[in-house]
């Protein structure tokens, strides 16, 4: 359950004027335990708080980190499949 946190942080955090890694989402974690208190499973529900950020960011702010990470880390084959390039080449990540 805890190891999923970096993934959800990348998908829901963005640079704002006040914070380089500001959470723009809410998260509800429901943990299922057996009678002895051992974790049997979990469900994580995410709530995106700033849907407009996907298409527009205020001056000096950035889109969600995941978009930049994908552009920076994807290999040539994946970039070709997805039709992406560097972050500077895309409207959503170069505003």
């Amino acid at each position: 359950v805890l190891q999923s946190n970096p993934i959800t942080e990348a998908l829901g955090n963005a640079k704002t004027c006040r914070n380089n890694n500001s959470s723009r989402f809410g998260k509800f974690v429901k943990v299922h335990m057996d009678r002895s208190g051992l974790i049997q499973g979990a469900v994580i529900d995410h709530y995106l708080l700033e849907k407009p950020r996907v298409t527009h960011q205020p001056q000096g702010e950035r889109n969600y980190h995941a978009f930049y990470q994908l552009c920076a880390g994807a290999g040539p084959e994946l970039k070709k499949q997805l039709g992406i390039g560097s972050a500077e080449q895309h409207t959503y990540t170069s505003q």
Side-chain angles (χ1 to χ4, degrees):
V1 175
L2 293 176
Q3 292 175 343
S4 70
N5 200 50
I7 296 169
T8 58
E9 292 289 322
L11 294 172
N13 287 12
K15 179 182 176 190
T16 66
C17 290
R18 296 182 183 175
N19 187 333
N20 283 339
N21 197 34
S22 184
S23 180
R24 313 317 301 160
F25 71 101
K27 180 170 42 174
F28 177 77
V29 181
K30 183 188 257 186
V31 179
H32 302 281
M33 298 181 175
D34 65 14
R35 292 185 186 270
S36 66
L38 295 174
I39 295 176
Q40 297 298 305
V43 175
I44 302 174
D45 289 323
H46 299 95
Y47 305 94
L48 193 57
L49 302 176
E50 279 192 295
K51 292 177 184 172
R53 181 174 291 278
V54 174
T55 59
H56 176 76
Q57 299 81 49
Q59 184 72 30
E61 298 192 0
R62 286 188 1 164
N63 207 315
Y64 292 104
H65 295 327
F67 296 130
Y68 300 92
Q69 291 169 343
L70 181 61
C71 290
E77 184 62 32
L78 181 56
K79 284 185 175 185
K80 183 177 178 181
Q81 287 177 336
L82 298 175
I84 63 172
S86 69
E88 295 79 23
Q89 293 176 299
H90 301 285
T91 302
Y92 294 143
T93 51
S94 63
Q95 295 181 30

